[in-house]
Amino acid sequence: MSLTRTSSAKREQRTRSLRDWAIFTAFIGPNVLLILAFIYYPLASNIYYSLLDWRLGSNSAEFIGLGNYITLFTSPTGLDMWRVTLIFTVSTVAISMALGLALALVLNKQIPGRTFARTAVFSPYVLSGVGVGMVWNFIFDPQLGLLSHVVAFFGQNSPEWYLDPDLALLMVIIVYVWKNLGYCAVVYLAGLQSLPRDLLEAAAIDHAGPVRRFFSISFPLLGPTTFFLVITTILSSMQAFDILRIMTPNGNGTNTIVFELFLQGFGVYQRAGYSAAISVVLFAALFVITAVQMRYVERKVHYA
């Protein structure tokens, strides 16, 4: 009798387990299919296309192996793309974080109109990159732009921002920093407001000045915030596109990796295989940056 009861219990448990797995599969199955269809399949296809010499819209393609990757890392165009990407990324990340921290320190004080100032600082970040690029195109216009009138007031001629590759790169760096400065400021402001007040008050009682309190207490405790901003701003800068496309449609010194990907694949070159290779390298670079920072940098961050 007991054997029959035990066997029946096992069958019931097995049936319940199969039913649970069926319900689990029914819920997770569509999500897995969507991920496979819209993430992993395009990724695998892109890797395959990167091994081809293929023009966009062409019915034929030649398998060239790692030829596109070799060109990307050895050709003058490819090396210049990496140079521009490095300058653009380092400049926008460093300047945005430095100015954002300075703004956050100001906005953290009890000053009149503080709420309005916080809103005004953050507003450019939520604006469309296309709209921002168009407005700043008018400002930088050498003939009719607002900046040209300011320069003319001091008896100088406006620089040719769009013709000089170095000035064009400087121009888009300025605009990108202006647009993303509010993001860094607001994140740093949140970090400053979460600092333990008792430590700052104790330091003030011990006659530590504002500068000493900032570098000895506030800045070290902002380690998690700085770590978060470093990751997010690097990833954002390396994927910048809309402002670059609007302000410098054909590149001319502003060919970062994403912009070069677009120009090679959908511009006058129509080199879909080479563009696919750039996108694969971009994916690998972003993956490595995130993995390295999560593995090594996070361990050195001080968490309050």
Side-chain angles (χ1 to χ4, degrees), residues 13-259:
Q13 182 179 4
R14 191 180 305 110
T15 302
R16 187 184 305 112
S17 177
L18 291 175
R19 184 173 62 251
D20 292 342
W21 271 107
I23 295 174
F24 172 76
T25 304
F27 276 106
I28 200 176
N31 295 320
V32 172
L33 291 177
L34 289 174
I35 291 174
L36 291 175
F38 293 101
I39 296 180
Y40 292 106
Y41 174 73
L43 177 62
S45 299
N46 197 68
I47 294 175
Y48 170 71
Y49 294 143
S50 70
L51 305 177
L52 305 176
D53 180 12
W54 175 46
R55 303 286 173 173
L56 192 65
S58 175
N59 294 326
S60 60
E62 179 185 357
F63 182 83
I64 57 174
L66 299 178
N68 288 322
Y69 295 95
I70 295 174
T71 302
L72 178 60
F73 287 101
T74 59
S75 67
T77 303
L79 294 177
D80 186 66
M81 179 202 71
W82 288 115
R83 179 189 67 83
V84 172
T85 301
L86 180 63
I87 294 174
F88 180 83
T89 302
V90 172
S91 300
T92 53
V93 170
I95 298 174
S96 296
M97 292 183 63
L99 294 181
L101 179 57
L103 271 176
L105 291 172
V106 174
L107 297 176
N108 195 41
K109 298 183 178 297
Q110 296 292 338
I111 57 176
R114 182 176 61 172
T115 302
F116 174 78
R118 291 175 177 176
T119 304
V121 167
F122 186 72
S123 294
Y125 180 70
V126 300
L127 296 178
S128 166
V130 175
V132 168
M134 294 178 66
V135 171
W136 280 91
N137 267 336
F138 171 75
I139 294 176
F140 279 105
D141 188 282
Q143 304 298 326
L144 304 175
L146 178 62
L147 188 59
S148 66
H149 293 288
V150 175
V151 174
F153 179 80
F154 293 97
Q156 302 294 325
N157 294 323
S158 177
E160 294 293 341
W161 296 96
Y162 298 93
L163 300 180
D164 188 320
D166 294 332
L167 290 178
L169 181 58
L170 175 62
M171 176 180 65
V172 295
I173 288 175
I174 292 173
V175 176
Y176 196 81
V177 168
W178 176 84
K179 186 179 186 303
N180 293 275
L181 178 60
Y183 169 75
C184 295
V186 168
V187 173
Y188 265 130
L189 179 61
L192 288 171
Q193 293 181 342
S194 66
L195 296 180
R197 309 308 302 176
D198 53 346
L199 291 179
L200 298 174
E201 293 172 358
I205 294 174
D206 290 338
H207 305 289
V211 177
R212 178 70 179 276
R213 292 199 302 270
F214 173 75
F215 285 103
S216 298
I217 300 177
S218 299
F219 190 69
L221 292 178
L222 286 174
T225 305
T226 301
F227 169 70
F228 171 78
L229 282 175
V230 166
I231 293 178
T232 55
T233 52
I234 286 180
L235 297 180
S236 175
S237 294
M238 290 192 67
Q239 299 176 80
F241 174 75
D242 47 6
I243 291 176
L244 305 181
R245 173 61 176 167
I246 293 299
M247 300 193 69
T248 55
N250 297 318
N252 188 32
T254 63
N255 297 35
T256 61
I257 184 168
V258 172
F259 197 17

